Amino acid sequence: MSFNGMRILSLESRRAAEMATLIRNRQGDPFVAPSMREAPLASNDEAFQFAERLFAGEFDMMILLTGVGTRALQKVLATRHPEGAFVDALRKLAVVARGPKPLAVLREWNVPAAATVPEPNTWRELLAAIENRPEKRLAVQEYGKTNPELIAGLQARGADVTTVRIYQWELPEDLGPLRQAVHKVAAGELDAVMFTTSIQVAHLFRIGAEEGLELLPALQKMRIFSIGPTTTETLEEFGLKATLEPTHPKMGFLVKEAAESV
């Protein structure tokens, strides 16, 4: 199965070249416009305040949402505390890994996971995975933006929730490709778009607005391939419906199954 020359927009940033190759291998014509970058917060005061409470024994559970964020938190805390202090503290808590990447970090650090979250690793699966847990003093390592549904769900169970954010998603430093992309979308020069994270949706519309373009009508005529439920929910918030979600929320499955659906 192939894309048969379909013109496909990819907004992938960190793995942009890999995504382009995957699309070409399926006879697609990729236009890659990196749409985001991970940027350290200007101040890490929130993380250091969390650390003081963590080391004082004020938490029962730590929920780790991303592997990148988990490592970043350890590195930030190591600038002010002993290198292994964070990892030692985690061993005294019930630690929850949202998906395979934070779980891999825990295994590397020899920290047991009290619970793991199955695919597609959304806030719904996370809440279900810890539904019967007794812990009420929770810390949540965030991944660029707050997940209000997760926080509200935890608080509805009587939990005291502290969020810890180390980095945020920003627009890429070079906006040239993304500006070209929104003009191509508006002009009907693309057949499909692949979203591999929800932030890409917001950034695409943000640049469209800056360029004075109304993207929604054009996007509604395109095939929209979404990596998974969280991204699909964001698309729906912007008035879009995903054409396809892969059976597993991974780039390879997304491209393969998108090509098979054409």
Side-chain angles (χ1 to χ4, degrees):
M1 298 293 183
S2 77
F3 288 115
N4 297 315
M6 181 179 286
R7 301 164 299 177
I8 301 172
L9 171 61
S10 168
L11 299 162
E12 180 63 29
S13 299
R14 186 169 49 186
R15 301 172 68 185
E18 180 181 348
M19 176 62 94
T21 297
L22 288 171
I23 293 171
R24 288 193 190 95
N25 287 345
R26 295 279 173 175
Q27 288 74 57
D29 180 13
F31 183 86
V32 180
S35 61
M36 50 192 279
R37 63 186 171 95
E38 294 170 8
L41 294 177
S43 170
N44 285 303
D45 287 346
E46 180 181 308
F48 293 126
Q49 291 170 12
F50 154 75
E52 295 299 330
R53 295 180 60 196
L54 174 67
F55 300 146
E58 295 184 17
F59 297 105
D60 308 310
M61 175 181 284
M62 180 93 199
I63 298 174
L64 303 175
L65 297 179
T66 67
V68 171
T70 299
R71 292 187 188 279
L73 181 56
Q74 191 275 335
K75 289 179 180 179
V76 166
L77 298 186
T79 65
R80 189 172 295 184
H81 299 278
E83 182 76 23
F86 176 55
V87 175
D88 289 341
L90 287 181
R91 295 193 179 105
K92 301 174 184 177
L93 305 178
V95 182
V96 179
R98 183 179 66 97
K101 292 183 179 179
L103 182 61
V105 176
L106 291 177
R107 287 172 174 164
E108 178 184 325
W109 291 350
N110 196 27
V111 175
T116 56
V117 180
E119 289 184 353
N121 316 120
T122 72
W123 61 271
R124 293 184 179 87
E125 286 78 32
L126 199 161
L127 288 176
I130 61 174
E131 184 173 7
N132 298 315
R133 299 289 310 188
E135 295 84 5
K136 296 297 181 183
R137 301 179 300 167
L138 279 54
V140 180
Q141 168 264 314
E142 294 187 328
Y143 60 106
K145 68 170 186 174
T146 295
N147 187 317
E149 294 89 355
L150 173 61
I151 304 305
L154 295 171
Q155 291 174 335
R157 298 175 181 177
D160 179 11
V161 183
T162 297
T163 58
V164 188
R165 186 166 57 137
I166 295 299
Y167 61 92
Q168 59 188 355
W169 298 113
E170 293 185 354
L171 289 166
E173 293 181 351
D174 179 8
L175 288 172
L178 193 52
R179 294 194 190 281
Q180 291 180 50
V182 297
H183 283 276
K184 284 180 175 290
V185 169
E189 297 176 3
L190 296 166
D191 304 305
V193 56
M194 290 192 171
F195 291 100
T196 50
T197 183
S198 59
I199 302 297
Q200 294 170 353
V201 184
H203 283 188
L204 184 69
F205 275 91
R206 176 176 167 183
I207 295 302
E210 289 183 6
E211 294 292 300
L213 300 171
E214 176 54 64
L215 299 183
L216 186 58
L219 285 167
Q220 288 174 332
K221 297 176 183 177
M222 297 168 60
R223 288 177 179 264
I224 298 177
F225 304 122
S226 168
I227 194 73
T230 300
T231 300
T232 298
E233 286 181 5
T234 301
L235 287 165
E236 290 171 353
E237 291 172 3
F238 281 84
L240 294 171
K241 182 179 177 65
T243 308
L244 174 141
E245 281 183 18
T247 53
H248 298 281
K250 294 178 171 56
M251 273 180 21
F253 283 92
L254 176 65
V255 175
K256 174 179 179 292
E257 293 174 23
E260 291 173 348
S261 74
V262 173

